[in-house]
């Protein structure tokens, strides 16, 4: 299951008012490529390395004055923790993204990265 792929993961989420600079420092410290954006315990977006490149650096936006809410990907697709890794991979392929929030009963459990998907899921038929 997808849950087994994120087992032991310490999920770090940030509020929407966090500056891009602060978020990237957290991402670098924890060696993660994406961070969920939550408000009152609810997932409202995800901020990824791609968002940093395309919505901040390429647009020459000031990372010290820009909030995650302005540059995150809002309302990201999610996957239920009970789903198979192959379904996560297919969702990432279809959506063109590399990070997928994992949910269980409406609660964010973590993020599965395309790097977390085992080789057998890559060779399986969609």
């Amino acid at each position: 299951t997808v849950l087994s792929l994120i087992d032991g993961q310490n999920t770090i989420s940030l509020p929407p008012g966090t500056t891009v600079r602060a978020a990237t420092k957290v991402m670098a410290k924890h060696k993660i490529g994406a961070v969920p954006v939550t408000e009152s315990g609810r997932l409202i977006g995800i901020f990824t390395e791609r968002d940093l490149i395309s919505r901040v650096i390429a647009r020459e936006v000031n990372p010290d004055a820009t909030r995650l809410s302005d540059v995150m990907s809002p309302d990201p697709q999610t996957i239920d923790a009970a789903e198979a890794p192959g379904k996560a991979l297919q969702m990432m392929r279809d959506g063109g993204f590399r990070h997928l929030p994992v949910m269980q009963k409406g609660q964010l459990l973590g993020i599965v990265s395309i790097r977390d998907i085992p080789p057998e899921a890559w060779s399986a038929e969609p």
Side-chain angles (χ1 to χ4, degrees):
T1 64
V2 173
L3 180 60
S4 68
L5 299 179
I6 64 163
D7 189 37
Q9 185 182 92
N10 181 22
T11 305
I12 295 157
S13 64
L14 295 172
T18 305
T19 66
V20 169
R21 172 126 16 236
T24 58
K25 286 182 179 184
V26 168
M27 292 165 71
K29 177 181 177 184
H30 296 281
K31 298 179 180 158
I32 54 176
V35 64
V37 181
T38 57
E39 189 168 55
S40 301
R42 189 175 60 86
L43 178 69
I44 62 167
I46 188 170
F47 180 71
T48 69
E49 296 161 322
R50 283 188 180 170
D51 294 326
L52 176 64
I53 292 167
S54 64
R55 297 179 180 167
V56 179
I57 296 170
R59 294 182 185 168
E60 298 182 11
V61 173
N62 181 348
D64 294 309
T66 304
R67 307 285 174 214
L68 291 182
S69 57
D70 297 325
V71 292
M72 68 183 185
S73 296
D75 300 315
Q77 288 186 32
T78 63
I79 190 164
D80 188 88
E83 292 289 352
K87 181 168 182 182
L89 177 62
Q90 192 62 49
M91 288 176 71
M92 289 183 214
R93 284 178 172 166
D94 292 348
F97 47 83
R98 298 178 296 205
H99 299 92
L100 187 58
V102 178
M103 308 292 285
Q104 187 174 57
K105 296 180 182 173
Q107 295 296 311
L108 175 68
L109 296 183
I111 292 187
V112 65
S113 167
I114 202 159
R115 292 184 325 235
D116 300 328
I117 307 293
E120 56 271 15
W122 285 83
S123 59
E125 288 296 314

